[in-house]
Amino acid sequence: MSKDVKNVPALRFKGYSDAWEKRKLGETNSYFTDGNYGESYPKESELSDKENGVPFLRGSNLRNGELIEDNANYITKEKHAELTSGHLVEDDIVLAVRGSLGALGYVKEENIDWNINSQLAVIRTDKSELSGKFLAQFLLSWRGQKELLSRNTGTALKQLPIKQLKDVPVPIVNLDEQKEISALFTSIDNLIAATQDKIDALEQAKRALLQRLFDQSWRFKGYSDPWEKRKLGETNSYFTDGNYGESYPKESELSDKENGVPFLRGSNLRNGELIEDNANYITKEKHAELTSGHLVEDDIVLAVRGSLGALGYVKEENIDWNINSQLAVIRTDKSELSGKFLAQFLLSWRGQKELLSRNTGTALKQLPIKQLKDVPVPIVNLDEQKEISALFTSIDNLIAATQSRLSSLELLKKALLQDLFI
């Protein structure tokens, strides 16, 4: 059995100073299996629903070291009983060995006896030498991911055969130190999960408020007049889109973040916000030419091709960004309709229904400005608009602050993974 001594990590718990041993996974007493069940692989008739079946996991069910049941497939209990090699046990590691390589999930009590499809493999460690939780955290670290991904095979379809997986070097560490490290990451993971739950609860509360306030079943005290309904095209709003004709940016007129101007597309609209992540950029000279797409505070940016219904509200930090051909801008007349108020209406169940019911096209759904102008919107006392907008601004700020905390926790975990597994 080959052994290789590893340098001491940059960060250690007090009381531990011995250098870590490095050993190939295949040289440990771990058990390996995958979801290639041969002729026994589930047929369509052996699939089931959530209520009557057993989760049959695929790569998309592995996220940030967790097993996520959302959008899982299910197999019948009879088929699950037949495929015994894929039954999950607490402290197992489920790893994507086809498709989304590097993704993995740690098996907790609530995941026991789920099953895996052909994209996945299971590592079950010998607890007398290596904790599954500790190994999972190592494989999530920068070093662990590098070791996994460097061993993939194939060209069009990347794979990580068990033979290659067994060749991955892993740290073999004093069991007490493994427990301390695992406990630390369990605490951080619990904080991350609780923070995500808070975000989900806030977003659910916002959806409920949007429905109640825009069907007028709830009103702020002091307001009782019925709301007027008017088509968007009958308001004094301004409309434009990113179809710039022959002036549309060529590849040579694209830029980078440091030197360019954000050139937004549908994927940059998320939950009513403009998100710069993965934005394209155009040169400042091209931006100066495409004046109709310059964003102004309180504008609404709306997807009119592709991801219909998505929209973003323009805040101070988004001023003077630009839009591509998937998007359109609505700029309201503030003496009758606040952009913030209109954005919240369009995010509500009723607003989304009005938008999506007016799409045209078959293969590529579109919402031409002509149809957009036909959407009925509430025209409300300006003071009531302000009250409603202020409420949602408070909720949005709380969601953003919680999102920021979540990002900080994830960065902390990433930094700790790097320092503990250097």
Side-chain angles (χ1 to χ4, degrees), residues 13 17 19 45 62 89 109-111 139 178 242 253 261 297 321 331 361 368 377 394 401 407-408 416:
F13 280 91
S17 58
S45 60
L62 311 181
V89 173
E109 185 178 1
E110 59 265 32
N111 315 127
L139 294 175
Q178 287 188 45
E253 294 168 317
V261 174
E297 189 171 4
W321 291 7
R331 187 169 299 153
V377 298
S394 298
S407 298
S408 296
L416 284 170

Short mmCIF file of all heavy atoms in Angstrom, two decimals, residues 13 17 19 45 62 89 109-111 139 178 242 253 261 297 321 331 361 368 377 394 401 407-408 416:
data_model
loop_
_atom_site.label_atom_id
_atom_site.label_comp_id
_atom_site.label_asym_id
_atom_site.label_seq_id
_atom_site.Cartn_x
_atom_site.Cartn_y
_atom_site.Cartn_z
N PHE A 13 -7.00 22.89 13.83
CA PHE A 13 -7.59 23.00 15.17
C PHE A 13 -6.48 22.84 16.21
O PHE A 13 -5.51 22.10 16.00
CB PHE A 13 -8.65 21.93 15.37
CG PHE A 13 -9.98 22.25 14.75
CD1 PHE A 13 -10.27 21.87 13.45
CD2 PHE A 13 -10.93 22.95 15.47
CE1 PHE A 13 -11.49 22.18 12.88
CE2 PHE A 13 -12.16 23.26 14.91
CZ PHE A 13 -12.44 22.88 13.60
N SER A 17 -1.09 18.63 15.21
CA SER A 17 0.07 19.15 14.48
C SER A 17 0.70 18.13 13.54
O SER A 17 1.56 18.47 12.74
CB SER A 17 1.14 19.64 15.48
OG SER A 17 1.52 18.58 16.35
N ALA A 19 1.52 15.84 10.45
CA ALA A 19 1.27 15.96 9.01
C ALA A 19 0.24 14.92 8.58
O ALA A 19 0.15 13.84 9.17
CB ALA A 19 2.58 15.75 8.25
N SER A 45 -42.20 2.08 -17.58
CA SER A 45 -43.31 1.51 -16.81
C SER A 45 -42.96 1.32 -15.33
O SER A 45 -43.84 1.09 -14.50
CB SER A 45 -43.73 0.16 -17.40
OG SER A 45 -42.64 -0.75 -17.36
N LEU A 62 -27.83 17.02 -7.21
CA LEU A 62 -26.65 17.26 -6.36
C LEU A 62 -26.33 18.74 -6.42
O LEU A 62 -26.04 19.28 -7.49
CB LEU A 62 -25.45 16.45 -6.85
CG LEU A 62 -25.67 14.96 -7.14
CD1 LEU A 62 -24.37 14.32 -7.60
CD2 LEU A 62 -26.22 14.25 -5.92
N VAL A 89 -27.11 4.95 2.13
CA VAL A 89 -26.93 4.78 3.57
C VAL A 89 -26.39 6.10 4.13
O VAL A 89 -25.63 6.80 3.45
CB VAL A 89 -25.94 3.63 3.85
CG1 VAL A 89 -25.60 3.53 5.32
CG2 VAL A 89 -26.52 2.31 3.34
N GLU A 109 -29.70 11.73 7.22
CA GLU A 109 -30.72 10.79 7.67
C GLU A 109 -31.94 10.82 6.76
O GLU A 109 -32.52 9.77 6.44
CB GLU A 109 -31.12 11.12 9.12
CG GLU A 109 -32.10 10.13 9.72
CD GLU A 109 -32.44 10.45 11.16
OE1 GLU A 109 -31.93 11.46 11.69
OE2 GLU A 109 -33.24 9.70 11.77
N GLU A 110 -32.34 12.03 6.31
CA GLU A 110 -33.56 12.14 5.50
C GLU A 110 -33.39 11.60 4.07
O GLU A 110 -34.38 11.48 3.33
CB GLU A 110 -34.06 13.60 5.45
CG GLU A 110 -33.06 14.59 4.87
CD GLU A 110 -32.24 15.30 5.95
OE1 GLU A 110 -31.97 14.68 6.99
OE2 GLU A 110 -31.87 16.47 5.73
N ASN A 111 -32.15 11.29 3.68
CA ASN A 111 -31.90 10.77 2.33
C ASN A 111 -31.70 9.25 2.31
O ASN A 111 -31.50 8.67 1.23
CB ASN A 111 -30.65 11.41 1.72
CG ASN A 111 -30.57 12.91 1.90
OD1 ASN A 111 -29.57 13.43 2.40
ND2 ASN A 111 -31.61 13.62 1.51
N LEU A 139 -13.67 16.67 -1.01
CA LEU A 139 -13.99 16.61 -2.44
C LEU A 139 -14.68 17.88 -2.94
O LEU A 139 -14.66 18.18 -4.13
CB LEU A 139 -14.84 15.38 -2.74
CG LEU A 139 -14.15 14.02 -2.51
CD1 LEU A 139 -15.14 12.88 -2.72
CD2 LEU A 139 -12.92 13.86 -3.41
N GLN A 178 -10.75 14.74 12.15
CA GLN A 178 -11.81 14.64 11.14
C GLN A 178 -13.15 15.09 11.73
O GLN A 178 -13.91 15.83 11.11
CB GLN A 178 -11.95 13.20 10.64
CG GLN A 178 -10.84 12.72 9.72
CD GLN A 178 -11.15 11.35 9.13
OE1 GLN A 178 -12.27 11.11 8.68
NE2 GLN A 178 -10.17 10.47 9.12
N GLY A 242 -34.64 46.83 -27.57
CA GLY A 242 -33.23 46.78 -27.97
C GLY A 242 -33.02 46.32 -29.40
O GLY A 242 -31.93 45.85 -29.74
N GLU A 253 -17.55 45.37 -31.38
CA GLU A 253 -18.01 46.47 -30.53
C GLU A 253 -18.37 45.98 -29.12
O GLU A 253 -18.91 46.75 -28.33
CB GLU A 253 -19.22 47.15 -31.19
CG GLU A 253 -18.82 47.85 -32.50
CD GLU A 253 -20.00 48.27 -33.34
OE1 GLU A 253 -20.96 47.48 -33.47
OE2 GLU A 253 -19.96 49.40 -33.87
N VAL A 261 -19.89 48.92 -20.98
CA VAL A 261 -21.18 49.24 -20.37
C VAL A 261 -22.03 47.96 -20.40
O VAL A 261 -22.08 47.29 -21.44
CB VAL A 261 -21.89 50.37 -21.15
CG1 VAL A 261 -23.30 50.60 -20.60
CG2 VAL A 261 -21.06 51.65 -21.10
N GLU A 297 -33.32 55.79 -13.89
CA GLU A 297 -33.87 55.29 -12.62
C GLU A 297 -35.39 55.27 -12.67
O GLU A 297 -36.03 56.18 -13.21
CB GLU A 297 -33.41 56.19 -11.46
CG GLU A 297 -33.77 55.62 -10.09
CD GLU A 297 -33.13 56.37 -8.95
OE1 GLU A 297 -32.44 57.38 -9.18
OE2 GLU A 297 -33.29 55.93 -7.78
N TRP A 321 -27.15 51.83 -18.00
CA TRP A 321 -26.86 50.54 -18.62
C TRP A 321 -27.65 50.47 -19.93
O TRP A 321 -28.42 51.38 -20.25
CB TRP A 321 -27.28 49.39 -17.70
CG TRP A 321 -26.43 49.25 -16.46
CD1 TRP A 321 -25.45 50.09 -16.02
CD2 TRP A 321 -26.51 48.20 -15.48
NE1 TRP A 321 -24.91 49.64 -14.84
CE2 TRP A 321 -25.54 48.48 -14.49
CE3 TRP A 321 -27.30 47.07 -15.34
CZ2 TRP A 321 -25.34 47.65 -13.38
CZ3 TRP A 321 -27.10 46.24 -14.25
CH2 TRP A 321 -26.13 46.53 -13.28
N ARG A 331 -41.04 53.28 -19.43
CA ARG A 331 -40.72 54.46 -18.60
C ARG A 331 -42.03 55.21 -18.35
O ARG A 331 -42.63 55.76 -19.26
CB ARG A 331 -39.71 55.34 -19.33
CG ARG A 331 -39.18 56.51 -18.52
CD ARG A 331 -38.00 57.16 -19.24
NE ARG A 331 -36.90 56.21 -19.40
CZ ARG A 331 -36.00 56.27 -20.40
NH1 ARG A 331 -36.06 57.23 -21.29
NH2 ARG A 331 -35.04 55.35 -20.47
N GLY A 361 -46.19 33.96 -31.42
CA GLY A 361 -45.15 33.06 -31.92
C GLY A 361 -45.35 31.66 -31.39
O GLY A 361 -46.15 31.41 -30.49
N PRO A 368 -44.53 41.43 -28.40
CA PRO A 368 -44.30 42.70 -29.10
C PRO A 368 -44.83 43.88 -28.30
O PRO A 368 -45.79 43.75 -27.53
CB PRO A 368 -45.07 42.52 -30.42
CG PRO A 368 -45.22 41.04 -30.58
CD PRO A 368 -45.32 40.49 -29.20
N VAL A 377 -53.51 47.71 -16.50
CA VAL A 377 -52.77 47.96 -15.26
C VAL A 377 -53.61 48.86 -14.35
O VAL A 377 -54.46 49.62 -14.83
CB VAL A 377 -51.40 48.62 -15.53
CG1 VAL A 377 -50.53 47.71 -16.38
CG2 VAL A 377 -51.56 49.98 -16.20
N SER A 394 -39.04 47.65 1.33
CA SER A 394 -38.55 47.12 2.61
C SER A 394 -38.33 45.62 2.53
O SER A 394 -37.31 45.09 3.00
CB SER A 394 -39.55 47.43 3.73
OG SER A 394 -39.70 48.82 3.90
N ALA A 401 -30.47 41.78 1.86
CA ALA A 401 -29.54 41.67 3.00
C ALA A 401 -29.33 40.22 3.39
O ALA A 401 -28.22 39.80 3.73
CB ALA A 401 -30.09 42.47 4.18
N SER A 407 -24.35 34.81 0.79
CA SER A 407 -23.13 34.86 -0.01
C SER A 407 -21.89 34.90 0.87
O SER A 407 -20.88 34.25 0.57
CB SER A 407 -23.16 36.09 -0.93
OG SER A 407 -24.24 36.02 -1.83
N SER A 408 -21.96 35.64 1.98
CA SER A 408 -20.83 35.72 2.90
C SER A 408 -20.54 34.37 3.54
O SER A 408 -19.38 33.97 3.69
CB SER A 408 -21.11 36.77 3.99
OG SER A 408 -21.24 38.05 3.43
N LEU A 416 -12.56 28.44 4.08
CA LEU A 416 -12.17 27.41 5.05
C LEU A 416 -11.80 26.10 4.36
O LEU A 416 -10.84 25.43 4.76
CB LEU A 416 -13.31 27.19 6.05
CG LEU A 416 -13.48 28.27 7.12
CD1 LEU A 416 -14.78 28.06 7.88
CD2 LEU A 416 -12.28 28.28 8.08
#
